[in-house]
């Protein structure tokens, strides 16, 4: 359950004459199978290049390429040097392309801010039912399967409330314990959706005995991304499969809402709570900005009245 060093990989491969995968490489391979969009494929390839660079030494270096033509002076670049140079060149190209995509994503976020559309990001442990919940709440048709990392690319849908109020609901990549750092870096532009959100829906599998551990893992990853202070609402999904007493205890402990994205139970309550949390939070922030602009330090009762208004 750990990363293997390049020497460990080389020794095991030498002894067994087999291809050796450690935990990180296995996760990267799963990601590569799930990637469908251009951005997702580039992100996964970048993570693989960065992870494999120090492991290129495993490859045999006995064969070298001779320089041809006039002035050749014996052995040229070794195979290892060629592989490293090509990997570096490819990495630079991918970084440039991802930077362009990230800039486009930032422009879209800025447009949403100017229009005043609140952003709500769905985050959680992998395979907790985030995409199914997005489909249930917005009548979308996002791929939702019972497998790890089914969603790699953020999918955004508009969600309309009464009184002509709308939010943008975004599904994000699932987290996992000890998420490889190369993946976090490669998916930075995607994960920034969580940092920029007005509210996070932290989705947990209520039927999983390790729900508390998964919650701690997600909270830790969010803190590493700089989203520790973003308001959040805990959603206990798959309530139809959970023990009722345990479900009630978790809901009280985390002030969470129990839902079943598959059957639709609890989604009406979730939508009501979501509307309150988003627009009450934005009203409070707007009130605070007005007080700061006026140079006022309003007492708590005045601030509360202003927020409710």
């Amino acid at each position: 359950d750990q990363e293997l060093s390049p020497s460990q990989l080389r020794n095991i491969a030498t002894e067994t004459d087999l291809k050796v995968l450690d935990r990180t490489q296995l996760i990267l391979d799963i990601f590569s199978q799930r990637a469908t969009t251009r951005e997702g494929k580039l992100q996964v390839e970048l993570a693989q290049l960065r992870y494999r660079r120090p492991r290129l030494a495993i490859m045999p270096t006995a064969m070298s390429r001779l320089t041809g033509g006039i002035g050749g002076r014996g052995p040229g670049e070794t195979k290892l040097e060629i592989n490293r140079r090509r990997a570096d060149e490819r990495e630079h190209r991918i970084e440039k392309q991802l930077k362009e995509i990230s800039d486009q994503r930032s422009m879209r976020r800025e447009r949403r801010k100017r229009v005043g559309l609140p952003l709500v990001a769905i985050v959680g442990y992998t395979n907790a039912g985030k995409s199914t919940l997005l489909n249930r709440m917005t009548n979308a048709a996002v791929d939702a399967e019972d497998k790890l990392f089914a969603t790699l690319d953020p999918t955004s849908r508009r969600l309309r409330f009464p009184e002509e109020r709308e939010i943008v609901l975004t599904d994000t990549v699932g987290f996992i314990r000890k998420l490889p750092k190369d993946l976090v870096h490669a998916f930075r532009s995607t994960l920034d959706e969580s940092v920029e959100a007005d509210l996070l829906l932290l989705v947990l599998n209520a039927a999983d005995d390790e729900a508390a551990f998964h919650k701690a893992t997600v909270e830790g990853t969010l803190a590493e991304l700089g989203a520790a202070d973003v308001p959040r609402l805990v959603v206990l999904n798959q309530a139809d499969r959970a023990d009722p007493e345990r479900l009630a205890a978790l809901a009280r402990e985390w002030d969470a809402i129990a839902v079943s994205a598959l059957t639709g139970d609890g989604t009406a309550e979730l939508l009501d709570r979501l509307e309150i949390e988003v627009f009450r939070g934005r009203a409070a922030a707007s009130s605070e900005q007005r007080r700061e602009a006026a140079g006022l330090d309003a007492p708590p009762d005045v601030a509360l009245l202003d927020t409710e208004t």
Side-chain angles (χ1 to χ4, degrees):
D1 196 30
Q2 304 290 335
E3 282 190 7
L4 297 179
S5 67
S7 60
Q8 289 173 325
L9 284 171
R10 181 179 61 250
N11 293 338
I12 296 175
T14 301
E15 290 294 329
T16 62
D17 197 25
L18 296 172
K19 180 180 179 181
V20 181
L21 298 178
D22 61 2
R23 179 180 186 272
T24 300
Q25 186 61 57
L26 179 61
I27 293 174
L28 290 174
D29 283 356
I30 295 175
F31 266 66
S32 67
Q33 295 175 16
R34 304 286 190 264
T36 55
T37 66
R38 174 171 173 264
E39 181 183 10
K41 293 177 180 178
L42 288 174
Q43 289 169 327
V44 173
E45 185 178 353
L46 179 61
Q48 289 176 324
L49 286 172
R50 286 176 171 162
Y51 180 73
R52 289 172 179 170
R53 182 195 291 139
R55 290 158 178 79
L56 287 175
I58 299 173
M59 301 181 65
T61 59
M63 297 182 63
S64 62
R65 185 174 65 179
L66 298 179
T67 57
I70 299 174
R73 291 293 184 272
E77 295 176 299
T78 65
K79 189 68 175 176
L80 173 60
E81 291 168 342
I82 296 171
N83 289 334
R84 283 177 172 166
R85 178 167 54 81
R86 289 176 177 170
D88 290 340
E89 292 172 353
R90 178 61 180 164
E91 183 176 330
H92 292 323
R93 286 197 299 270
I94 293 177
E95 287 176 340
K96 183 179 179 180
Q97 295 175 45
L98 286 176
K99 177 66 168 55
E100 296 174 354
I101 296 175
S102 178
D103 292 341
Q104 295 171 5
R105 191 185 300 278
S106 298
M107 291 176 60
R108 289 196 294 269
R109 281 200 295 262
E110 289 300 323
R111 284 200 296 268
R112 284 201 299 260
K113 289 181 180 179
R114 287 197 298 268
V115 174
L117 277 177
L119 174 63
V120 177
I122 303 177
V123 299
Y125 211 79
T126 183
N127 208 28
K130 300 183 295 299
S131 298
T132 306
L133 184 63
L134 176 71
N135 290 338
R136 173 64 63 177
M137 295 173 68
T138 63
N139 293 322
V142 177
D143 288 338
E145 302 181 53
D146 185 13
K147 62 184 181 183
L148 299 177
F149 307 116
T151 300
L152 291 187
D153 306 291
T155 304
S156 298
R157 295 290 185 271
R158 286 199 181 196
L159 177 61
R160 175 167 292 186
F161 293 101
E163 302 178 13
E164 297 301 316
R165 297 197 291 194
E166 289 183 333
I167 66 171
V168 175
L169 197 62
T170 299
D171 185 18
T172 60
V173 63
F175 298 153
I176 193 172
R177 178 176 55 88
K178 294 190 297 184
L179 190 64
K181 294 181 179 179
D182 292 325
L183 271 178
V184 174
H185 184 85
F187 279 75
R188 183 76 207 194
S189 63
T190 301
L191 296 172
D192 277 345
E193 296 287 338
S194 304
V195 181
E196 299 289 336
D198 295 276
L199 179 72
L200 298 177
L201 286 186
L202 201 168
V203 180
L204 300 169
N205 182 357
D208 196 318
D209 294 336
E210 296 188 344
F213 173 75
H214 292 171
K215 181 175 183 295
T217 299
V218 175
E219 295 279 6
T221 305
L222 290 173
E224 292 178 7
L225 294 172
D229 297 330
V230 179
R232 64 205 59 185
L233 174 61
V234 178
V235 179
L236 296 174
N237 191 26
Q238 303 188 37
D240 54 314
R241 299 175 54 237
D243 177 72
E245 293 184 2
R246 181 173 178 272
L247 181 64
L250 292 177
R252 288 193 301 269
E253 180 181 355
W254 296 332
D255 188 24
I257 295 181
V259 304
S260 172
L262 189 63
T263 65
D265 293 339
T267 52
E269 180 186 356
L270 173 59
L271 290 171
D272 291 340
R273 178 79 175 272
L274 180 60
E275 183 179 14
I276 293 172
E277 294 289 341
V278 171
F279 292 101
R280 182 180 64 183
R282 289 175 71 85
S286 177
S287 174
E288 183 67 25
Q289 290 173 356
R290 291 197 301 270
R291 290 197 301 273
E292 290 179 356
L296 300 177
D297 187 11
D301 56 340
V302 175
L304 180 60
L305 180 61
D306 191 18
T307 299
E308 292 176 346
T309 304

